[in-house]
């Protein structure tokens, strides 16, 4: 089994899904808890958590502790 990175778009920008964009909009640029983001987004907690993990892997957010996330881009 070999892990391969997804090809980058020609402009170098990582494409965001609609859900990822919605979660980022709910975050603003202040640290927020997963619960706050969930309430603002009206998405299920599991969807928000999974989306935040993907956004972290794409370099858009960082966890500042186990429950709080900061948008970095």
């Amino acid at each position: 089994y070999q892990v391969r990175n997804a090809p980058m778009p020609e402009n170098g920008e990582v494409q965001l899904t609609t859900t990822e964009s919605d979660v980022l909009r709910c975050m603003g640029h202040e640290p927020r808890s997963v619960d706050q983001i969930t309430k603002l987004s009206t998405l299920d907690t599991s969807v928000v958590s999974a989306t935040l993990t993907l956004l972290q892997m794409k370099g858009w957010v960082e966890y500042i502790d186990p429950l709080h996330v900061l948008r970095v881009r």
Side-chain angles (χ1 to χ4, degrees):
Y1 179 76
Q2 187 177 24
V3 176
R4 295 177 191 229
N5 292 331
M8 290 290 287
E10 288 182 26
N11 64 3
E13 270 303 304
V14 175
Q15 298 289 324
L16 296 178
T17 65
T18 303
T19 303
E20 291 168 340
S21 295
D22 291 345
V23 168
L24 284 174
R25 266 192 293 282
C26 292
M27 291 183 66
H29 291 280
E30 300 291 322
R32 293 208 191 263
S33 71
V34 175
D35 286 340
Q36 288 173 316
I37 298 166
T38 299
K39 287 177 186 171
L40 290 169
S41 70
T42 68
L43 297 168
D44 289 338
T45 304
S46 61
V47 173
V48 171
S49 293
T51 302
L52 288 171
T53 299
L54 292 171
L55 288 169
Q56 182 183 27
M57 292 179 355
K58 291 179 178 183
W60 282 88
V61 301
E62 289 182 8
Y63 279 86
I64 54 176
D65 64 44
L67 298 177
H68 292 87
V69 186
L70 177 65
R71 181 176 176 170
V72 295
R73 284 179 46 181

